[in-house]
Amino acid sequence: MASSSSLSLSQALLRPTPLPSSHQPSLRVSPSLRPSPSTAPLSLRRRAAHVRASVPVKTVEKATSDVTLVEKSVNTIRFLAIDAVEKANSGHPGLPMGCAPMGHVLYDEVMKYNPKNPKWFNRDRFVLSAGHGCMLQYALLHLAGFDSVKEEDLREFRQWGSRTPGHPENFETPGVEVTTGPLGQGIANAVGLALAEKHLAARFNKPDNEIVDHYTYAILGDGCQMEGIANEACSLAGHWGLGKLIAFYDDNHISIDGNTEIAFTESVDSRFEGLGWHVIWVKNGNNGYEDIRAAIEEAKSVKDKPTLIKVTTTIGYGSPNKANSYSVHGSALGAKEVDATRKNLGWPYEPFHVPEDVKKHWSRHTPEGAALEAEWNIKFAEYERKYKEEAAELKSIINGELPAGWEKALPTYTPESPADATRNLSQQNLNALAKVLPGLLGGSADLASSNMTLLKMFGDFQKDTPGERNVRFGVREHGMGAICNGIALHSPGLIPYCATFFVFTDYMRGAIRLSALSEAGVIYVMTHDSIGLGEDGPTHQPIEHLASFRAMPNILMLRPADGNETAGAYKVAVLNRKRPSILALSRQKLPNLPGSSIEGVEKGGYTISDNSTGNKPDVILIGTGSELEIAAKAAEDLRKEGKSVRVVSLVSWELFDEQSEAYKESVLPVAVSARVSIEAGSTFGWEKIVGAKGKAIGIDRFGASAPAGKIYKEFGITKEAVIAAAKELI
Amino acid sequence: MASSSSLSLSQALLRPTPLPSSHQPSLRVSPSLRPSPSTAPLSLRRRAAHVRASVPVKTVEKATSDVTLVEKSVNTIRFLAIDAVEKANSGHPGLPMGCAPMGHVLYDEVMKYNPKNPKWFNRDRFVLSAGHGCMLQYALLHLAGFDSVKEEDLREFRQWGSRTPGHPENFETPGVEVTTGPLGQGIANAVGLALAEKHLAARFNKPDNEIVDHYTYAILGDGCQMEGIANEACSLAGHWGLGKLIAFYDDNHISIDGNTEIAFTESVDSRFEGLGWHVIWVKNGNNGYEDIRAAIEEAKSVKDKPTLIKVTTTIGYGSPNKANSYSVHGSALGAKEVDATRKNLGWPYEPFHVPEDVKKHWSRHTPEGAALEAEWNIKFAEYERKYKEEAAELKSIINGELPAGWEKALPTYTPESPADATRNLSQQNLNALAKVLPGLLGGSADLASSNMTLLKMFGDFQKDTPGERNVRFGVREHGMGAICNGIALHSPGLIPYCATFFVFTDYMRGAIRLSALSEAGVIYVMTHDSIGLGEDGPTHQPIEHLASFRAMPNILMLRPADGNETAGAYKVAVLNRKRPSILALSRQKLPNLPGSSIEGVEKGGYTISDNSTGNKPDVILIGTGSELEIAAKAAEDLRKEGKSVRVVSLVSWELFDEQSEAYKESVLPVAVSARVSIEAGSTFGWEKIVGAKGKAIGIDRFGASAPAGKIYKEFGITKEAVIAAAKELI
């Protein structure tokens, strides 16, 4: 394969390449990437890679100058990483030095992207699952012409306010798709990205117009491979037959504690074959460029399975004294070893220098990327002309604009509506929303019939029915969360939801935290949210979970009490596209309470009933979720005894915190210190709400196995307890 | 193989079987279980199974009456499960009905145990990883004669206060080794149990006396198989060559959402072979008793690998209308289907009835178990005579008695001691303790050189060096935690510790919660405990983690500030054998503070300095960990300005909560409302300490990538901020 770029560039320039306006479809046709190469309108060099996919004949001849230039480019990547880590005196040079060859092939030869519009919809996605090696990605983005990583950004690696933080962060660096660093997350995100592509392609592609058509690439290391989340996600990728997911396994035999021999001697190949992947081994990842290229070709030719390309590399390649040792993994090489490496690799340049020929070689990606997007925009315009409805739907998924009036689909309830579990009410909402939100899709970790998450008008997203929207995650909570992060970050209009028992957020907390950090608006449908689940006992009963998420930044912890509040929770969740939501939902039936409302939920906390005047009730009873009913009943009794009682639903602490001081005072007046809260969970944190003089009724021990009513009674989560506490305080 | 038991029983009774005193070695020799069967003193039927292991000749003939009795026993198990679930109208009958045959073979024919002393040290361990099927285990314990599960207990299945809760709980039911239910945990616990056996056997066995010698069995289902934690732990089990771990995979093709085809189509066999396991397939698990027996034989003959016996079963076997469907997984069959099943399996008995011949058949386990223990006790007495020192050490591991004066090994520090990171101080403690605590062992999830967890006087626990104490977990946090739970619950004197970055408790929270619930005194060594880790950025910086564990029941969250506090944290952690401890430790250097003490840590919160009189300082500054230094420095400045200032270290909220009201008042007098706290983490929960009028300085957003000092400054975690807050309040 010719990797000379001047030809491509000149050819690309044979046609006018309109400046792509960011985020807006423009007017040119992209090369048809799959079937008949002869019909492709442009002979961009990049296309050659795709041609190879269907015509598996390897080009064996190669101009020496090309090889030299490739190696020079690869060494540029290595030294940009070395120099940035050295300047910061912090970071991970080992991976970029070892993975520079595959990185080069991917970003320079294989991937479709537009550096001037990192959000171009049909770009190939790349995930550095081994996120500590982020200097690899920063170097590649820099060479490829992304404005987010200029030389000054490389020089500011790991410094306050820079666009080159210590691990790849999508919210800091355009061009970075997802946030990685915690190992195993990235490959699971990549599965989500590939799922999204397969799903959208199935829904929107037409025989004459494959408008959705891109690959997802990932690099993962030994660390990612050891993490259970990676196995979960990769098992699903195999099950779903995600043929356009191509993962490079950086097989360097070194992890932080030393040689992988000490803890990781499994056969990754056998495991992945068992998981239903196609597995290829590139034995020389340090300079076997042709083998890397051929492996990608082969991977693309296998359309019904994801591919793992095991690439054996040397960590810290080029460093004469530190290569192939853990010492090069996570520390700067040191001035002396940097010098030795410069000598060893014949690199005479100053730190951060990109040689002119390398710069020139890479410079074509700006016009080429613009051309790619422009062509796709023409294709989209044609699509729009022929398939108006689908185009509008796809556009809303691409842009993330919610359809006008979508919120009218939310069901409403009155106190006369039948009592129901909020998990069932949740299903009513999901099914109502699925009709109006084209990007809503999701499912449960093998608890669909308990979590009540099936979308009744859709079938299952499966290998051969990828256009459907019910995703069956199996018992893989952590993988599920990370896959949903990938879906959410694929396109702004995709709204993934996922479900399990609330207590099993413990299994997926790593992924949930990354939803919060990376601004992925996943909706977590978490049912069986307290001791109210009864007989399954303490292993299944959440206690500390509400508190644990209230303490987490940038996430909404919502615990609705009835139908209207569940609808409100969904309204909030859908609107918060950059902040994930967790809905804690009951297994048990709950009545629809007078005074509950969608609008109330949007404020986080609000008064559902009050018989006082002048904003000075004798006592305020505060509840959430299933215990709001108990508070309301206690209030009734107290009012019969002549007390003035306010009942407050505190469905989301985060939203309430964001309200004006005046509003908060109107709900929880400072002057009223007689406050009783009731929630079937840890009282930790409730002092903030009830104050030093108030009383928080809750559970500060593990649960128990018994019918729910019995546990409530034994644990004192009762109306009587609320009344007694209130009387003490009044 | 003859499964008639009368012979065994009579033979067992040929010798006097002293009543085993609970938890105390008694005086008889157990059959040598491995090498030359001819030298074994007793021909217990159980021994035959072991003979088979080394003499792989299958007995093909079998008396019809035996088969009938076995089937009757198996149906007894099935109906005990059916009846208990039916009576509770809650529970999971499907697994017990399908797994009754393997359960029967294990508990009636294969396993060594003493029902009257469930804690007998050398018992075989059994873990029901698919914990929802607990009625299988309860039925087996009942038949085997464990006092914990009598008929009345079966009748109280899933009821308040019963010994038969909804999932197996070691703290409720003697005979249950670990707490399962959350899927995947059990198999990982089993890896820990098998590790413990292999480790102790290597340390204590002598050529003439294999005093430690038992197997670990587990049953796991499709759900466990899908969980990442299971893959993590099983990868390690293969790596370590845990030959005495034998896991049954209940391959019934059904999970809650339906057929496993919808989400789980990987080849488990290939995956496990890749993980280094020996894999056997029993195609007919419903009544292929001989195949199950032969598989166990084969498994035992493979000594260098753990074995997975895939047993294909029918979930809900025997139920004519519900077998092989998800409907039998997690609900009572219903009266009609129970009747139909009774007819189908020819079961004329009343609910909970155990036929006399079945009862008689199983009754031998009481004398046999007593004999097994008695023999082992003789063996131990011989061991003690010949190997006095080792015997004393092993005894302390068996009994859990800490060596007298162990705490004198804890290092102490003065303000003149050099500043150091608490992670380094932690290593000093670990290494000091390893010299005096024979049961201390553990390691890190591939961060030993960052977490500072290596025991310098020991090598690595590896396949061929299992007597060593440094465990290399690889990047497998969740598996690590669950393996440590297994180690802790193997023997009271084993004290496992494990380590990663504090933020990655998110990956292992499921296991940590089970440490807390199941009273496994694991020590979690969690370093890099705040933004103080610097450049790695927000993915690596804990924020909400301290709060999230303070809210969790039965766990100690300790954040020591310096050398003495780190030693105090270890003292507390070692003493709390039924309550796990998490030590949050700094990456950065911290000075040794005047006033810090081990005794103070034991109280959870204490005054480290104060220039006030009469328990009424102008202001109280409260810090934890690395921020206690900031509080102390702020106090110095404020005192220079004439203020009376108390500085309080709140190293463990849980321990402080447990102190007397008088003590708490002496540290945090109610009358002093001017309180400022400083902690580089979420302020969630601090209202309880500082009160409505106080001020909590903390971080309620995600962190950032930059040098630590810069982040502290930008986030306002500074002396200046404390001083300013204090002045506002005074």
Side-chain angles (χ1 to χ4, degrees), chain A residues 280-292:
Chain A
I280 305 170
W281 184 17
V282 171
K283 293 183 187 175
N284 174 10
N286 294 329
N287 31 43
Y289 302 107
E290 274 306 319
D291 294 341
I292 294 171

Side-chain angles (χ1 to χ4, degrees), chain A residues 3-38:
Chain A
S3 66
S4 152
S5 65
S6 54
L7 184 72
S8 319
L9 180 56
S10 60
Q11 288 195 337
L13 291 176
L14 284 178
R15 289 156 179 272
T17 54
L19 276 178
S21 60
S22 186
H23 301 276
Q24 288 295 334
S26 66
L27 298 166
R28 305 230 11 260
V29 178
S30 81
S32 168
L33 296 183
R34 278 196 289 183
S36 52
S38 60

Side-chain angles (χ1 to χ4, degrees), chain A residues 285-333:
Chain A
N286 294 329
N287 31 43
Y289 302 107
E290 274 306 319
D291 294 341
I292 294 171
R293 292 175 186 125
I296 297 171
E297 267 184 63
E298 184 180 323
K300 288 187 172 179
S301 74
V302 177
K303 297 190 188 305
D304 62 341
K305 290 180 174 187
T307 295
L308 184 78
I309 305 176
K310 182 170 94 168
V311 187
T312 300
T313 68
T314 303
I315 190 170
Y317 180 88
S319 160
N321 303 303
K322 295 194 167 181
N324 198 29
S325 88
Y326 70 89
S327 65
V328 78
H329 165 83
S331 316
L333 294 179

Side-chain angles (χ1 to χ4, degrees), chain A residues 624-645:
Chain A
T624 76
S626 43
E627 288 67 66
L628 188 59
E629 175 194 2
I630 299 176
K633 284 185 174 163
E636 274 174 38
D637 285 15
L638 286 165
R639 286 170 191 153
K640 280 179 197 154
E641 296 182 24
K643 311 291 188 230
S644 67
V645 185

